[in-house]
Amino acid sequence: MNGEQDPKKKGFSFKNIGKKIDKTLDRVSHKADRLGDRWDEKLAENDPLFTQPIHGPAEDTQPRVLVKGGIDLPFLFIVIALTVFGAVMAYSASSVYADQYHGDSAYYVKRHIIYLIIGVVASIPFVLKAQPWFWRLFGVASYAASVVLLLMVLIIGSSYGSGATRWIQLGPVSIQPSEIAKMAVIMVIALEMTKYESRLKNEQKFGGHLRYGVIYPMLIFGTICVLVMLERHLSGIIIIGLLGLTTMYLGGTKGKYFLWIIGICVVGVLAVLLVSDYAQARVTTWLFIDKVDPLGSAWQTLQGLNAIGSGGFFGKGLGNSQQKYGYVSQPQNDFIFTIVCEELGFVGAVCVVVLFALLVWRGFRIAAKAPDKFCSIVVYGLVIKVALQTILNIAVVTNSMPNTGIALPFFSSGGTAIILQLFEMGIILAISRYSYQKR
């Protein structure tokens, strides 16, 4: 050995080093888990919303414990079905446009899949680890972030030729803050109304229901609506306003106030129409589509209706749309449902509607079993958000309402919207894992 010592005599080997590293990592992971559990317990003890059950009769005082189970598999399978269906149609609808403008027929579907992967990867840790109390902190943070980003849009925003400034360009990535705001409004109004639930029963004008059930919630979504109005984003105002009102109703706002609230909202929308030539043109086209220039502002709507009508019962077959050849402009976006109808016909359109209906039904089941009132309202709100955007998108492409740029969830191309849609489904799945049960 020429004076050299045998490493084995000193207990040295790469295998032993690997074992020591594994043991060290195990100890660190175990301590981190214990620290996290203690932190969760501490928050639970000091947070009345977290420990407050919403199920069972009021006189039931038997102690309950928070139980963690598996995710809601039916809801997961429905989301997967919508995601896969949407990706297939995103490719079919965009292939011609992508080849014409980008030299790659798969240009948009590649981006679509990347956004889907980002959304899934971002959601998984929260689905596995996030406890119900976390979403209240997340809601406040997302609301603050959305306000800051909406203010930034007014300074450094981009329109990409759409006529409305809605995006922030950060290198190769564009962010649409109004999409974040939609989710944040639901979560923050749910938090506010759950936190002050006892005061909603108080009839005092400024110390009870009017203050906590009407004024505060309206300020929460009204602030966002004003910022979105400055972007000339009429569809964003409509959706955020409707989501705000829906969440207020779920939280317990009394019906007698809604006539006044709806009146104020209608006045706000009319004010936007008066100051926005862009919005006025959309409404005029909708009301007088048979009189406006068919080669101008009515072009996309008329071509979309042609696509829907030409599909018949079974459609022309997947990939065989004619309207995507330059007739329906950017068919991978808001008018993708017209391509579904043309290629898959009435049957395909019904399949889309049924999948969304199943998503709403299962989401409502999860909301009804949620561990506390806040979580219940959030799940209801996020599911209604999907339903609302689906209804409005189909209404737009069938000319039942003005063309306002509303995307079809899971189908329309887009970065921020797709990622957030999957993340919101992740929130619902994370909440579905928890329930309160009697000891």
Side-chain angles (χ1 to χ4, degrees), residues 74-88 355 410-411:
F75 187 84
L76 175 63
F77 292 146
I78 296 168
V79 171
I80 291 173
L82 279 168
T83 302
V84 173
F85 194 177
V88 171
L355 281 174
F410 301 103
F411 284 77

Side-chain angles (χ1 to χ4, degrees), residues 71-80 358-359 361-362 429:
I71 61 174
D72 190 273
L73 290 179
F75 187 84
L76 175 63
F77 292 146
I78 296 168
V79 171
I80 291 173
L358 288 173
L359 182 82
W361 164 75
R362 196 64 199 179
L429 287 171

Side-chain angles (χ1 to χ4, degrees), residues 307-353:
I308 294 172
S310 64
F313 193 79
F314 293 106
K316 298 178 178 179
L318 185 64
N320 294 329
S321 166
Q322 297 298 314
Q323 295 300 111
K324 67 185 179 184
Y325 284 86
Y327 295 99
V328 175
S329 59
Q330 298 191 38
Q332 72 279 3
N333 289 334
D334 304 338
F335 274 65
I336 193 171
F337 186 73
T338 66
I339 306 302
V340 174
C341 293
E342 184 183 7
E343 294 188 349
L344 304 180
F346 177 77
V347 173
V350 169
C351 287
V352 172
V353 173

Side-chain angles (χ1 to χ4, degrees), residues 343-402:
E343 294 188 349
L344 304 180
F346 177 77
V347 173
V350 169
C351 287
V352 172
V353 173
V354 167
L355 281 174
F356 279 112
L358 288 173
L359 182 82
V360 172
W361 164 75
R362 196 64 199 179
F364 280 13
R365 290 288 300 273
I366 294 171
K369 298 178 181 179
D372 58 36
K373 186 174 181 178
F374 167 79
C375 291
S376 181
I377 295 174
V378 167
V379 174
Y380 275 122
L382 293 178
V383 171
I384 290 172
K385 174 178 176 287
V386 174
L388 182 63
Q389 291 197 184
T390 302
I391 293 169
L392 293 178
N393 175 270
I394 294 175
V396 165
V397 301
T398 56
N399 200 39
S400 300
M401 66 175 287

